[in-house]
Amino acid sequence: MSHETVTIGVLAIQGAFQEHIARFASLNASSSGTTVRALAIRRPEQLAQCHGLVLPGGESTSIVLGLRNADLLEPLRVWIREGKPVWGTCAGMIMLASVATGGKRGGQELLGGMDVQVGRNGFGSQVYSFECDLPCPALGEAPFPGVFIRAPVVEKLLTSRAEEQEAVTSHEQKGLTVAYCPPDMRCLQEGVAVEPLVWLPLDGPSHAEATDASRIVAYRQGALLATSFHPELTSDTRLHSYFVRAFVLPAMHS
């Protein structure tokens, strides 16, 4: 069996980056023929060592401010534009969105890349955090333990720039704060639809203005993966393994 080493960068500006690094390290206990090396990313030059990248949970506005201070904002956008694998969890999901609502006045910068509109703290504040077993066909029959902490909610899957602008206009007319990514980061993957992977069970906690889209808690689009919950805060490594197997390895071999 051939052996290869995969390097996964984990953005280490703020948030649960150490937990992601630990989950990737634990994958090496299996005899899969692949060694996973997790690298904390704090500088642009470190990206060159990586085959895949994780944007962890945390506070999205603080993370984006840290990215700008570290001169990482544009290098990460270049990474996404080049079609390299990225996985955003919770705050990372917000940063990958084309449109984000519910932010602080003045909004926040987004990386962009995925044709979705998300709402910050969509399930409520910290006191409304919850755990819920999530059916995930891509990972097998056993449900995945979802940990939701001030989790974002999917408000809409966007299929065109016109639809994106309509969503922004609608929220601005209501006096709500809206942030959106730079124009060159929108609709990057024309012809590649957003594919839902995990849905919140019908009897699980729901957003106050629940829609079919708001029950989507994990999805992919091309080389990008997003989860509104925190897989790194559980001992279940199946999503970390899935990211390596279904996103990173195919990109390395393409």
Side-chain angles (χ1 to χ4, degrees), residues 131-218:
E131 297 184 18
C132 179
D133 283 345
L134 302 169
C136 183
L139 302 181
E141 293 184 6
F144 192 90
V147 178
F148 294 80
I149 303 174
R150 296 177 62 193
V153 67
V154 177
E155 294 180 332
K156 196 170 188 179
L157 304 182
L158 306 171
T159 58
S160 67
R161 289 182 183 239
E163 190 172 84
E164 175 194 287
Q165 187 55 51
E166 179 184 333
V168 171
T169 301
S170 173
H171 278 75
E172 288 177 340
Q173 288 174 343
K174 296 176 183 177
L176 301 175
T177 303
V178 182
Y180 42 98
C181 69
D184 67 338
M185 295 302 294
R186 303 173 200 163
C187 300
L188 286 177
Q189 306 182 71
E190 189 173 358
V192 180
V194 176
E195 177 188 350
L197 295 173
V198 183
W199 297 72
L200 195 68
L202 286 171
D203 59 353
S206 63
H207 178 48
E209 299 179 5
T211 64
D212 285 344
S214 71
R215 289 182 50 242
I216 301 170
V217 292

Side-chain angles (χ1 to χ4, degrees), residues 13-14 59-67 104:
I13 299 295
Q14 190 261 350
E59 209 290 314
S60 59
T61 51
S62 297
I63 293 174
V64 173
L65 178 61
L67 290 179
K104 297 177 181 178

